[in-house]
Structures are given as structure tokens and as C-alpha cells.
Amino acid sequence: MRITRRVSSGMMALVLGFATPVLASYEAMTVSDGGAITGTVKLDGTVPKPKGYNLTTLPDPFYCGRISDGQGWRILQPFNVGPAGEFRDVVVYVEGIDRGKPFDDAGAPQIEAKDCLFLPFTTVVRDDQSVTVVNMDPVMHDIQAYETSHLGARVLFNVPLPMNPQHPRNFKDRSEIGLYHKHMAGPPMKQLVNLSKGRRIFMMQCGFHVYMESWGLAVTNPYFAKTDEQGRFTITDVPPGTYKLSVWHPYIRTVIEQTVTVEPKGTAEAGLVVLAPTGRLYANEVLDHEYVRYSVTEDAKKEIEPMIQKQGH
């Protein structure tokens, strides 16, 4: 099997998206002799630094701050990488299949605003499919969704995310909300993802909390998978043939491809290696300097659940 890597001028993170030709249509059929593609994705090199946001300048510092590093900074690590380089939560997909197994139409993918994060960080959708976004927090969020393009971003939708009415609103002091941990779903907001011709990538961000971001990839066939904790993936019911297997992560600027051949009822193994990007990937990269603390009492800090390990930092 051959692995090819090339720099793509149309894959700049945050600004540009794939210009891959989109198939006109996809035909669902029974795949009686289909095979499988399994494998791993690894990140080779030093894991990039995370993003850092000073919460003293952003709304809801007490509630969102309880999921900070404890000293006033919110950490967002876009790269979920295991100790042996296992690249987790990246999308692996197959190009060039226009007939095969049906899409799983069990329902619209759901994204949750929880602990001032959009979860999951990456989502796979079918173009012209809806996504459902739910606010689990006791603070206001909204969703500003954009598709990426060489012409700049285009707004897909911009709607508020209402809270669950059972969340308390009568805190004597806003710092008390930092001690409140209960999650309850607000009314679900269902929005259509309808990308411009040839565009594949969209992103969502909260207009109140800039560190809340989630990325999506629109696919033209159901042959895709996200890597698990071991960086492994499996794609099933693949019609026999030779295909291009690709990896997608919103902050990888190189195209990672591998050619695989699937035999009837066989299993093709793939090992994809992503070179870790170097240099500064984003303007708000975490810096080494003194942190700014909240004006929260030491007793109150003892009650705040330490969550930094859940941020991957």
C-alpha cells in the first residue's frame, strides 16, 4: 500500500476548505460481497500546543471557569493524541464510491453545549442533512455556523441556544454558579447544513464563548469512520475495488492519503501517519507567562471540580 503526502493550498485551517469534487448523487444498494477497511491513524511528532483563553475578559467566567486550569485560563486542545501517538477523533473516509450500502439515517447528529464546550469536537454529516444542537449548561450559548471557502467564511445559520427552564436563575452572587454542576437539556435546535458546491467543511462557534468550537465534515457516501481511543477505525460493507483513503482533521494542513484494495469479503489493513504540524497554528496559542486569577475566595476554589485533565492539557 502506498502513502502519499502533499501540501494542499486549499486546506488552510480556519479559512479554507476542501475543493474536492462532490459526487452528483449516491445510490444505495445491497452489498453482498463487500469487504472492510481497518487500520490506525498516528500522529508523528510533537503534539501542538493547545489554545488558551483568558476568562477574565469573556462572559460567564465563574461557570465556564470551573473547567479552566484553575487560574483563569480556559484550555482547548484540538489534538486528541494518546501516549504512543494514537490520533483520536479524526475522520477517515473513502472517496470515489457512488453506489453501496445505505446511509445510517437513524437521526440527525447531535452536538451538545456542555461545560462550555461543544461536544463532539468533530462531527460527520451528510450534505443537506440537519444537525441538532442542545444546550446542557445553565448559561446562555448560541451557535454561529460557517462553511469555509477560499472566498472566506459564509454563514450557514446563527441561532440562540436556550437553557433548560429548570436551571436555577436566582443565584445570590454570580460566583455561586461556578459551584453548580447539573446538566439538563434545553430545547433542541435543529439546523440544516447546506454547503456551497464543492465545499466540505463547516465549523460552529459560540458567539459568547469563543473557546467553544466544533468542526464538521460533509460526506457524499457512508464510507467513513472516526478513530477510537487506540487510533483505530473500521469501515464495513465496502464494494470490492481500489480506493483512495483520506484522513481529515480541521487543523492538519496536509492531505494524508493511502490507496487500498478491497477484495470480495476481504479486509484491507491501512496504517496512516500524520506528520504533526509545526510552528504557530493559531493566534491564541497557550503562552508561558503568569496567569491572572479570578477574585474568588480560596474556600470557593476548593469546591470547584478540577477538570483540567478532561481538557487533554
Side-chain angles (χ1 to χ4, degrees), residues 138-201:
V139 296
M140 284 296 296
H141 299 303
D142 70 3
I143 40 175
Q144 300 178 359
Y146 307 88
E147 70 170 8
T148 61
S149 164
H150 70 287
L151 300 175
R154 181 179 75 90
V155 176
L156 295 174
F157 49 86
N158 186 351
V159 295
L161 278 181
M163 293 185 290
N164 186 301
Q166 300 303 312
H167 281 308
R169 298 170 182 261
N170 58 345
F171 294 104
K172 294 179 181 178
D173 185 285
R174 291 305 295 172
S175 64
E176 291 183 3
I177 198 171
L179 309 180
Y180 180 76
H181 292 241
K182 192 169 184 179
H183 298 109
M184 292 184 288
M189 304 301 292
K190 194 172 185 179
Q191 298 295 321
L192 180 67
V193 177
N194 185 3
L195 303 181
S196 299
K197 183 178 180 181
R199 303 301 164 198
R200 303 284 295 277
I201 301 171

Short mmCIF file of all heavy atoms in Angstrom, two decimals, residues 138-201:
data_model
loop_
_atom_site.label_atom_id
_atom_site.label_comp_id
_atom_site.label_asym_id
_atom_site.label_seq_id
_atom_site.Cartn_x
_atom_site.Cartn_y
_atom_site.Cartn_z
N PRO A 138 -26.27 25.85 32.37
CA PRO A 138 -27.15 26.87 32.95
C PRO A 138 -26.77 28.29 32.55
O PRO A 138 -27.09 29.24 33.25
CB PRO A 138 -26.96 26.65 34.45
CG PRO A 138 -25.55 26.21 34.58
CD PRO A 138 -25.27 25.37 33.35
N VAL A 139 -26.05 28.45 31.46
CA VAL A 139 -25.69 29.77 30.93
C VAL A 139 -26.08 29.81 29.46
O VAL A 139 -26.24 28.78 28.80
CB VAL A 139 -24.18 30.05 31.09
CG1 VAL A 139 -23.79 30.11 32.55
CG2 VAL A 139 -23.34 29.01 30.37
N MET A 140 -26.24 31.01 28.94
CA MET A 140 -26.67 31.18 27.55
C MET A 140 -25.52 30.89 26.58
O MET A 140 -24.38 31.30 26.80
CB MET A 140 -27.15 32.62 27.32
CG MET A 140 -28.53 32.89 27.89
SD MET A 140 -29.82 31.90 27.07
CE MET A 140 -29.73 32.54 25.40
N HIS A 141 -25.85 30.18 25.52
CA HIS A 141 -24.95 29.97 24.39
C HIS A 141 -25.71 30.30 23.11
O HIS A 141 -26.93 30.41 23.10
CB HIS A 141 -24.47 28.52 24.32
CG HIS A 141 -23.70 28.05 25.51
ND1 HIS A 141 -22.56 28.69 25.95
CD2 HIS A 141 -23.89 27.01 26.37
CE1 HIS A 141 -22.08 28.06 27.02
NE2 HIS A 141 -22.88 27.05 27.29
N ASP A 142 -24.98 30.43 22.02
CA ASP A 142 -25.61 30.43 20.71
C ASP A 142 -24.71 29.66 19.75
O ASP A 142 -23.60 29.25 20.11
CB ASP A 142 -25.92 31.84 20.20
CG ASP A 142 -24.67 32.64 19.83
OD1 ASP A 142 -23.54 32.08 19.91
OD2 ASP A 142 -24.80 33.82 19.47
N ILE A 143 -25.19 29.43 18.55
CA ILE A 143 -24.39 28.72 17.55
C ILE A 143 -24.29 29.58 16.31
O ILE A 143 -25.28 29.97 15.71
CB ILE A 143 -24.97 27.33 17.21
CG1 ILE A 143 -26.50 27.36 17.11
CG2 ILE A 143 -24.50 26.29 18.17
CD1 ILE A 143 -27.09 26.04 16.64
N GLN A 144 -23.07 29.88 15.96
CA GLN A 144 -22.76 30.58 14.73
C GLN A 144 -22.01 29.59 13.85
O GLN A 144 -20.88 29.21 14.16
CB GLN A 144 -21.92 31.82 15.01
CG GLN A 144 -22.61 32.83 15.92
CD GLN A 144 -21.74 34.03 16.22
OE1 GLN A 144 -20.61 34.13 15.78
NE2 GLN A 144 -22.28 34.96 17.02
N ALA A 145 -22.66 29.14 12.79
CA ALA A 145 -22.08 28.11 11.92
C ALA A 145 -21.66 28.73 10.60
O ALA A 145 -22.40 29.53 10.02
CB ALA A 145 -23.07 26.98 11.70
N TYR A 146 -20.47 28.34 10.14
CA TYR A 146 -19.91 28.87 8.90
C TYR A 146 -19.38 27.72 8.05
O TYR A 146 -18.85 26.74 8.58
CB TYR A 146 -18.74 29.82 9.18
CG TYR A 146 -19.05 30.93 10.16
CD1 TYR A 146 -18.87 30.73 11.53
CD2 TYR A 146 -19.50 32.17 9.72
CE1 TYR A 146 -19.14 31.74 12.44
CE2 TYR A 146 -19.77 33.19 10.62
CZ TYR A 146 -19.59 32.97 11.98
OH TYR A 146 -19.86 33.96 12.87
N GLU A 147 -19.50 27.86 6.74
CA GLU A 147 -18.74 26.97 5.86
C GLU A 147 -17.45 27.68 5.51
O GLU A 147 -17.39 28.92 5.49
CB GLU A 147 -19.53 26.63 4.59
CG GLU A 147 -19.69 27.78 3.63
CD GLU A 147 -20.26 27.35 2.29
OE1 GLU A 147 -20.67 26.18 2.16
OE2 GLU A 147 -20.29 28.18 1.38
N THR A 148 -16.41 26.92 5.24
CA THR A 148 -15.13 27.51 4.89
C THR A 148 -14.96 27.52 3.37
O THR A 148 -15.49 26.66 2.67
CB THR A 148 -13.98 26.73 5.54
OG1 THR A 148 -14.01 25.38 5.08
CG2 THR A 148 -14.08 26.75 7.04
N SER A 149 -14.21 28.49 2.89
CA SER A 149 -14.06 28.67 1.45
C SER A 149 -12.85 29.54 1.17
O SER A 149 -12.44 30.34 2.02
CB SER A 149 -15.32 29.33 0.88
OG SER A 149 -15.09 29.85 -0.40
N HIS A 150 -12.29 29.41 -0.04
CA HIS A 150 -11.19 30.29 -0.43
C HIS A 150 -11.68 31.74 -0.56
O HIS A 150 -10.88 32.67 -0.60
CB HIS A 150 -10.58 29.82 -1.75
CG HIS A 150 -11.46 30.01 -2.94
ND1 HIS A 150 -12.58 29.23 -3.16
CD2 HIS A 150 -11.41 30.90 -3.96
CE1 HIS A 150 -13.17 29.62 -4.27
NE2 HIS A 150 -12.48 30.63 -4.78
N LEU A 151 -12.98 31.94 -0.62
CA LEU A 151 -13.56 33.28 -0.69
C LEU A 151 -13.85 33.84 0.69
O LEU A 151 -14.33 34.96 0.82
CB LEU A 151 -14.85 33.25 -1.51
CG LEU A 151 -14.72 32.78 -2.97
CD1 LEU A 151 -16.08 32.69 -3.62
CD2 LEU A 151 -13.80 33.71 -3.74
N GLY A 152 -13.57 33.05 1.72
CA GLY A 152 -13.89 33.46 3.08
C GLY A 152 -15.06 32.66 3.61
O GLY A 152 -15.65 31.83 2.92
N ALA A 153 -15.41 32.92 4.86
CA ALA A 153 -16.48 32.17 5.51
C ALA A 153 -17.85 32.64 5.03
O ALA A 153 -18.05 33.80 4.72
CB ALA A 153 -16.37 32.32 7.02
N ARG A 154 -18.80 31.69 4.96
CA ARG A 154 -20.19 32.01 4.66
C ARG A 154 -21.06 31.49 5.79
O ARG A 154 -20.90 30.33 6.21
CB ARG A 154 -20.63 31.39 3.34
CG ARG A 154 -22.09 31.71 2.95
CD ARG A 154 -22.47 31.08 1.62
NE ARG A 154 -22.69 29.66 1.74
CZ ARG A 154 -23.87 29.08 2.00
NH1 ARG A 154 -24.94 29.84 2.20
NH2 ARG A 154 -23.99 27.77 2.06
N VAL A 155 -21.96 32.31 6.30
CA VAL A 155 -22.80 31.92 7.42
C VAL A 155 -23.81 30.87 6.97
O VAL A 155 -24.52 31.06 5.96
CB VAL A 155 -23.53 33.14 8.02
CG1 VAL A 155 -24.49 32.70 9.12
CG2 VAL A 155 -22.53 34.15 8.56
N LEU A 156 -23.87 29.77 7.72
CA LEU A 156 -24.88 28.74 7.47
C LEU A 156 -26.11 28.97 8.32
O LEU A 156 -27.23 28.88 7.86
CB LEU A 156 -24.31 27.35 7.76
CG LEU A 156 -23.16 26.89 6.86
CD1 LEU A 156 -22.61 25.56 7.36
CD2 LEU A 156 -23.63 26.76 5.42
N PHE A 157 -25.91 29.25 9.60
CA PHE A 157 -27.01 29.61 10.49
C PHE A 157 -26.44 30.27 11.74
O PHE A 157 -25.26 30.13 12.06
CB PHE A 157 -27.88 28.39 10.87
CG PHE A 157 -27.12 27.18 11.34
CD1 PHE A 157 -26.74 27.03 12.67
CD2 PHE A 157 -26.79 26.17 10.44
CE1 PHE A 157 -26.06 25.91 13.09
CE2 PHE A 157 -26.10 25.03 10.87
CZ PHE A 157 -25.74 24.91 12.20
N ASN A 158 -27.28 31.03 12.42
CA ASN A 158 -26.89 31.76 13.63
C ASN A 158 -28.13 31.83 14.51
O ASN A 158 -29.02 32.63 14.26
CB ASN A 158 -26.38 33.15 13.27
CG ASN A 158 -25.83 33.90 14.48
OD1 ASN A 158 -25.98 33.45 15.62
ND2 ASN A 158 -25.22 35.04 14.24
N VAL A 159 -28.19 30.98 15.52
CA VAL A 159 -29.38 30.89 16.36
C VAL A 159 -28.99 30.79 17.83
O VAL A 159 -27.91 30.29 18.17
CB VAL A 159 -30.26 29.67 15.98
CG1 VAL A 159 -30.81 29.80 14.58
CG2 VAL A 159 -29.47 28.38 16.12
N PRO A 160 -29.85 31.26 18.74
CA PRO A 160 -29.58 31.11 20.17
C PRO A 160 -29.82 29.68 20.63
O PRO A 160 -30.56 28.93 20.00
CB PRO A 160 -30.58 32.07 20.81
CG PRO A 160 -31.71 32.13 19.84
CD PRO A 160 -31.09 32.01 18.47
N LEU A 161 -29.16 29.32 21.73
CA LEU A 161 -29.36 28.01 22.35
C LEU A 161 -30.01 28.22 23.71
O LEU A 161 -29.32 28.53 24.68
CB LEU A 161 -28.03 27.28 22.51
CG LEU A 161 -27.46 26.54 21.31
CD1 LEU A 161 -26.15 25.87 21.69
CD2 LEU A 161 -28.45 25.50 20.78
N PRO A 162 -31.32 28.08 23.81
CA PRO A 162 -31.98 28.34 25.08
C PRO A 162 -31.61 27.33 26.15
O PRO A 162 -31.32 26.17 25.87
CB PRO A 162 -33.47 28.26 24.74
CG PRO A 162 -33.53 27.44 23.49
CD PRO A 162 -32.27 27.70 22.75
N MET A 163 -31.63 27.80 27.40
CA MET A 163 -31.35 26.93 28.55
C MET A 163 -32.58 26.12 28.93
O MET A 163 -33.71 26.49 28.60
CB MET A 163 -30.91 27.77 29.75
CG MET A 163 -29.59 28.47 29.61
SD MET A 163 -29.15 29.30 31.16
CE MET A 163 -30.36 30.62 31.21
N ASN A 164 -32.36 25.06 29.67
CA ASN A 164 -33.45 24.33 30.29
C ASN A 164 -34.08 25.23 31.36
O ASN A 164 -33.38 25.79 32.19
CB ASN A 164 -32.92 23.04 30.92
CG ASN A 164 -34.03 22.15 31.45
OD1 ASN A 164 -34.80 22.54 32.31
ND2 ASN A 164 -34.08 20.93 30.97
N PRO A 165 -35.40 25.39 31.36
CA PRO A 165 -36.04 26.30 32.34
C PRO A 165 -35.90 25.84 33.78
O PRO A 165 -36.15 26.63 34.70
CB PRO A 165 -37.51 26.32 31.89
CG PRO A 165 -37.69 25.07 31.09
CD PRO A 165 -36.37 24.80 30.43
N GLN A 166 -35.50 24.59 34.00
CA GLN A 166 -35.35 24.09 35.36
C GLN A 166 -34.01 24.49 35.99
O GLN A 166 -33.81 24.30 37.19
CB GLN A 166 -35.48 22.56 35.39
CG GLN A 166 -36.82 22.05 34.90
CD GLN A 166 -37.97 22.64 35.69
OE1 GLN A 166 -37.95 22.65 36.92
NE2 GLN A 166 -38.98 23.15 34.98
N HIS A 167 -33.11 25.04 35.20
CA HIS A 167 -31.86 25.54 35.79
C HIS A 167 -32.17 26.73 36.69
O HIS A 167 -32.96 27.61 36.32
CB HIS A 167 -30.88 25.98 34.69
CG HIS A 167 -30.14 24.87 34.03
ND1 HIS A 167 -29.45 23.91 34.72
CD2 HIS A 167 -29.96 24.59 32.71
CE1 HIS A 167 -28.89 23.07 33.86
NE2 HIS A 167 -29.18 23.45 32.64
N PRO A 168 -31.57 26.80 37.88
CA PRO A 168 -31.83 27.95 38.76
C PRO A 168 -31.28 29.24 38.17
O PRO A 168 -30.27 29.24 37.48
CB PRO A 168 -31.09 27.57 40.05
CG PRO A 168 -30.04 26.60 39.63
CD PRO A 168 -30.63 25.84 38.47
N ARG A 169 -31.98 30.33 38.42
CA ARG A 169 -31.56 31.64 37.92
C ARG A 169 -31.42 32.66 39.05
O ARG A 169 -31.16 33.83 38.79
CB ARG A 169 -32.57 32.16 36.90
CG ARG A 169 -32.72 31.27 35.67
CD ARG A 169 -33.90 31.71 34.82
NE ARG A 169 -34.07 30.83 33.66
CZ ARG A 169 -33.63 31.09 32.44
NH1 ARG A 169 -32.99 32.22 32.21
NH2 ARG A 169 -33.85 30.26 31.44
N ASN A 170 -31.62 32.20 40.29
CA ASN A 170 -31.67 33.13 41.42
C ASN A 170 -30.42 33.06 42.29
O ASN A 170 -30.50 33.09 43.51
CB ASN A 170 -32.91 32.87 42.27
CG ASN A 170 -32.95 31.44 42.79
OD1 ASN A 170 -32.21 30.59 42.31
ND2 ASN A 170 -33.79 31.17 43.78
N PHE A 171 -29.26 32.92 41.65
CA PHE A 171 -28.02 32.90 42.42
C PHE A 171 -27.82 34.26 43.10
O PHE A 171 -27.99 35.31 42.48
CB PHE A 171 -26.83 32.58 41.52
CG PHE A 171 -26.85 31.20 40.94
CD1 PHE A 171 -27.21 31.00 39.62
CD2 PHE A 171 -26.53 30.09 41.72
CE1 PHE A 171 -27.23 29.72 39.08
CE2 PHE A 171 -26.56 28.82 41.18
CZ PHE A 171 -26.91 28.63 39.86
N LYS A 172 -27.47 34.24 44.37
CA LYS A 172 -27.23 35.49 45.09
C LYS A 172 -26.02 36.23 44.54
O LYS A 172 -25.97 37.45 44.51
CB LYS A 172 -27.03 35.20 46.58
CG LYS A 172 -28.27 34.65 47.28
CD LYS A 172 -28.00 34.37 48.74
CE LYS A 172 -29.23 33.80 49.43
NZ LYS A 172 -28.96 33.49 50.86
N ASP A 173 -25.06 35.46 44.11
CA ASP A 173 -23.84 36.03 43.54
C ASP A 173 -23.46 35.18 42.35
O ASP A 173 -23.55 33.95 42.40
CB ASP A 173 -22.71 36.03 44.59
CG ASP A 173 -21.47 36.74 44.08
OD1 ASP A 173 -20.77 36.13 43.24
OD2 ASP A 173 -21.21 37.87 44.51
N ARG A 174 -23.03 35.80 41.23
CA ARG A 174 -22.72 35.03 40.03
C ARG A 174 -21.61 34.02 40.26
O ARG A 174 -21.53 33.03 39.55
CB ARG A 174 -22.32 35.97 38.89
CG ARG A 174 -23.45 36.82 38.36
CD ARG A 174 -24.65 36.00 37.93
NE ARG A 174 -24.36 35.13 36.79
CZ ARG A 174 -25.20 34.21 36.34
NH1 ARG A 174 -26.36 34.01 36.95
NH2 ARG A 174 -24.89 33.47 35.30
N SER A 175 -20.76 34.24 41.26
CA SER A 175 -19.71 33.26 41.52
C SER A 175 -20.29 31.93 41.99
O SER A 175 -19.65 30.89 41.85
CB SER A 175 -18.72 33.80 42.56
OG SER A 175 -19.35 34.00 43.81
N GLU A 176 -21.53 31.94 42.54
CA GLU A 176 -22.13 30.70 43.01
C GLU A 176 -22.40 29.73 41.85
O GLU A 176 -22.45 28.52 42.06
CB GLU A 176 -23.45 30.99 43.73
CG GLU A 176 -23.28 31.71 45.07
CD GLU A 176 -24.62 31.91 45.76
OE1 GLU A 176 -25.63 31.44 45.22
OE2 GLU A 176 -24.62 32.50 46.85
N ILE A 177 -22.61 30.28 40.67
CA ILE A 177 -22.90 29.40 39.54
C ILE A 177 -21.72 28.50 39.20
O ILE A 177 -21.88 27.43 38.61
CB ILE A 177 -23.33 30.23 38.31
CG1 ILE A 177 -24.06 29.33 37.29
CG2 ILE A 177 -22.14 30.92 37.64
CD1 ILE A 177 -24.70 30.10 36.16
N GLY A 178 -20.52 28.91 39.61
CA GLY A 178 -19.35 28.07 39.40
C GLY A 178 -19.37 26.80 40.23
O GLY A 178 -18.61 25.86 39.95
N LEU A 179 -20.24 26.74 41.24
CA LEU A 179 -20.35 25.55 42.08
C LEU A 179 -21.52 24.67 41.65
O LEU A 179 -21.76 23.63 42.26
CB LEU A 179 -20.54 25.97 43.55
CG LEU A 179 -19.52 26.99 44.08
CD1 LEU A 179 -19.83 27.32 45.53
CD2 LEU A 179 -18.11 26.48 43.91
N TYR A 180 -22.23 25.09 40.62
CA TYR A 180 -23.41 24.36 40.14
C TYR A 180 -22.99 23.47 38.98
O TYR A 180 -22.48 23.94 37.97
CB TYR A 180 -24.48 25.36 39.70
CG TYR A 180 -25.75 24.74 39.19
CD1 TYR A 180 -26.68 24.18 40.06
CD2 TYR A 180 -26.02 24.70 37.82
CE1 TYR A 180 -27.85 23.62 39.60
CE2 TYR A 180 -27.20 24.14 37.34
CZ TYR A 180 -28.11 23.60 38.24
OH TYR A 180 -29.27 23.03 37.77
N HIS A 181 -23.25 22.16 39.10
CA HIS A 181 -22.70 21.20 38.14
C HIS A 181 -23.76 20.44 37.35
O HIS A 181 -23.41 19.59 36.54
CB HIS A 181 -21.81 20.18 38.85
CG HIS A 181 -20.56 20.76 39.41
ND1 HIS A 181 -19.31 20.36 39.02
CD2 HIS A 181 -20.35 21.73 40.32
CE1 HIS A 181 -18.39 21.04 39.68
NE2 HIS A 181 -19.01 21.88 40.47
N LYS A 182 -25.03 20.68 37.60
CA LYS A 182 -26.05 19.85 36.99
C LYS A 182 -26.25 20.21 35.51
O LYS A 182 -26.29 21.39 35.15
CB LYS A 182 -27.38 20.01 37.74
CG LYS A 182 -28.43 18.96 37.36
CD LYS A 182 -29.61 19.01 38.31
CE LYS A 182 -30.60 17.90 38.00
NZ LYS A 182 -31.76 17.92 38.93
N HIS A 183 -26.39 19.18 34.68
CA HIS A 183 -26.64 19.37 33.26
C HIS A 183 -28.07 18.94 32.94
O HIS A 183 -28.49 17.85 33.30
CB HIS A 183 -25.67 18.57 32.40
CG HIS A 183 -24.25 18.96 32.59
ND1 HIS A 183 -23.33 18.16 33.23
CD2 HIS A 183 -23.57 20.08 32.24
CE1 HIS A 183 -22.16 18.76 33.25
NE2 HIS A 183 -22.28 19.94 32.66
N MET A 184 -28.81 19.80 32.23
CA MET A 184 -30.16 19.46 31.78
C MET A 184 -30.35 20.04 30.39
O MET A 184 -29.97 21.18 30.12
CB MET A 184 -31.21 20.04 32.75
CG MET A 184 -31.21 19.37 34.12
SD MET A 184 -32.53 19.98 35.19
CE MET A 184 -31.91 21.63 35.57
N ALA A 185 -30.93 19.24 29.51
CA ALA A 185 -31.04 19.63 28.11
C ALA A 185 -32.07 20.72 27.91
O ALA A 185 -33.21 20.63 28.40
CB ALA A 185 -31.41 18.42 27.26
N GLY A 186 -31.68 21.77 27.21
CA GLY A 186 -32.62 22.78 26.77
C GLY A 186 -33.33 22.33 25.51
O GLY A 186 -33.08 21.23 25.00
N PRO A 187 -34.24 23.14 24.97
CA PRO A 187 -34.94 22.76 23.73
C PRO A 187 -33.95 22.51 22.60
O PRO A 187 -33.04 23.31 22.37
CB PRO A 187 -35.82 23.99 23.44
CG PRO A 187 -35.96 24.70 24.74
CD PRO A 187 -34.68 24.46 25.48
N PRO A 188 -34.07 21.38 21.90
CA PRO A 188 -33.13 21.09 20.80
C PRO A 188 -33.34 22.03 19.63
O PRO A 188 -34.47 22.36 19.26
CB PRO A 188 -33.46 19.64 20.42
CG PRO A 188 -34.89 19.46 20.85
CD PRO A 188 -35.07 20.31 22.07
N MET A 189 -32.23 22.48 19.06
CA MET A 189 -32.26 23.35 17.89
C MET A 189 -31.76 22.54 16.70
O MET A 189 -30.59 22.13 16.66
CB MET A 189 -31.39 24.59 18.12
CG MET A 189 -31.77 25.39 19.36
SD MET A 189 -33.48 25.98 19.34
CE MET A 189 -33.37 27.18 18.01
N LYS A 190 -32.63 22.31 15.73
CA LYS A 190 -32.29 21.51 14.56
C LYS A 190 -32.03 22.43 13.38
O LYS A 190 -32.88 23.25 13.03
CB LYS A 190 -33.43 20.54 14.24
CG LYS A 190 -33.05 19.44 13.25
CD LYS A 190 -34.18 18.42 13.14
CE LYS A 190 -33.79 17.26 12.25
NZ LYS A 190 -34.86 16.25 12.17
N GLN A 191 -30.84 22.32 12.80
CA GLN A 191 -30.43 23.23 11.73
C GLN A 191 -29.91 22.44 10.53
O GLN A 191 -29.21 21.44 10.68
CB GLN A 191 -29.34 24.18 12.23
CG GLN A 191 -29.78 25.08 13.38
CD GLN A 191 -30.86 26.06 12.96
OE1 GLN A 191 -30.83 26.59 11.86
NE2 GLN A 191 -31.82 26.29 13.84
N LEU A 192 -30.23 22.93 9.35
CA LEU A 192 -29.81 22.27 8.11
C LEU A 192 -28.40 22.70 7.73
O LEU A 192 -28.08 23.89 7.76
CB LEU A 192 -30.79 22.62 6.98
CG LEU A 192 -30.48 22.01 5.61
CD1 LEU A 192 -30.67 20.50 5.65
CD2 LEU A 192 -31.37 22.64 4.54
N VAL A 193 -27.58 21.73 7.37
CA VAL A 193 -26.24 22.01 6.86
C VAL A 193 -26.30 21.89 5.34
O VAL A 193 -26.41 20.80 4.79
CB VAL A 193 -25.20 21.03 7.44
CG1 VAL A 193 -23.83 21.29 6.83
CG2 VAL A 193 -25.14 21.15 8.95
N ASN A 194 -26.27 23.02 4.66
CA ASN A 194 -26.38 23.05 3.20
C ASN A 194 -25.17 23.83 2.66
O ASN A 194 -25.18 25.06 2.62
CB ASN A 194 -27.70 23.71 2.80
CG ASN A 194 -27.92 23.68 1.29
OD1 ASN A 194 -27.12 23.12 0.55
ND2 ASN A 194 -28.99 24.29 0.84
N LEU A 195 -24.14 23.11 2.26
CA LEU A 195 -22.89 23.73 1.85
C LEU A 195 -22.91 24.12 0.38
O LEU A 195 -23.63 23.54 -0.43
CB LEU A 195 -21.72 22.78 2.12
CG LEU A 195 -21.55 22.30 3.56
CD1 LEU A 195 -20.34 21.39 3.66
CD2 LEU A 195 -21.42 23.46 4.51
N SER A 196 -22.10 25.12 0.05
CA SER A 196 -21.96 25.52 -1.34
C SER A 196 -21.31 24.39 -2.14
O SER A 196 -20.62 23.53 -1.58
CB SER A 196 -21.09 26.79 -1.44
OG SER A 196 -21.69 27.86 -0.75
N LYS A 197 -21.50 24.43 -3.44
CA LYS A 197 -20.97 23.39 -4.31
C LYS A 197 -19.46 23.25 -4.13
O LYS A 197 -18.72 24.22 -4.18
CB LYS A 197 -21.30 23.72 -5.77
CG LYS A 197 -20.85 22.64 -6.75
CD LYS A 197 -21.24 23.00 -8.17
CE LYS A 197 -20.79 21.91 -9.14
NZ LYS A 197 -21.16 22.23 -10.54
N GLY A 198 -19.02 22.02 -3.94
CA GLY A 198 -17.60 21.73 -3.81
C GLY A 198 -17.03 21.94 -2.42
O GLY A 198 -15.86 21.66 -2.20
N ARG A 199 -17.83 22.43 -1.46
CA ARG A 199 -17.33 22.68 -0.11
C ARG A 199 -17.69 21.53 0.80
O ARG A 199 -18.78 20.97 0.71
CB ARG A 199 -17.87 24.00 0.45
CG ARG A 199 -17.55 25.20 -0.43
CD ARG A 199 -16.05 25.36 -0.61
NE ARG A 199 -15.74 26.24 -1.73
CZ ARG A 199 -14.57 26.29 -2.31
NH1 ARG A 199 -13.59 25.51 -1.89
NH2 ARG A 199 -14.35 27.10 -3.32
N ARG A 200 -16.79 21.19 1.69
CA ARG A 200 -16.97 20.01 2.53
C ARG A 200 -16.90 20.30 4.03
O ARG A 200 -17.25 19.44 4.82
CB ARG A 200 -15.88 18.98 2.19
CG ARG A 200 -15.82 18.55 0.74
CD ARG A 200 -16.93 17.60 0.40
NE ARG A 200 -16.79 16.36 1.11
CZ ARG A 200 -16.00 15.34 0.73
NH1 ARG A 200 -15.27 15.45 -0.36
NH2 ARG A 200 -15.95 14.23 1.43
N ILE A 201 -16.40 21.47 4.42
CA ILE A 201 -16.08 21.71 5.83
C ILE A 201 -16.93 22.85 6.37
O ILE A 201 -17.14 23.86 5.70
CB ILE A 201 -14.59 22.05 6.01
CG1 ILE A 201 -13.73 20.89 5.51
CG2 ILE A 201 -14.27 22.32 7.49
CD1 ILE A 201 -12.26 21.23 5.44
#
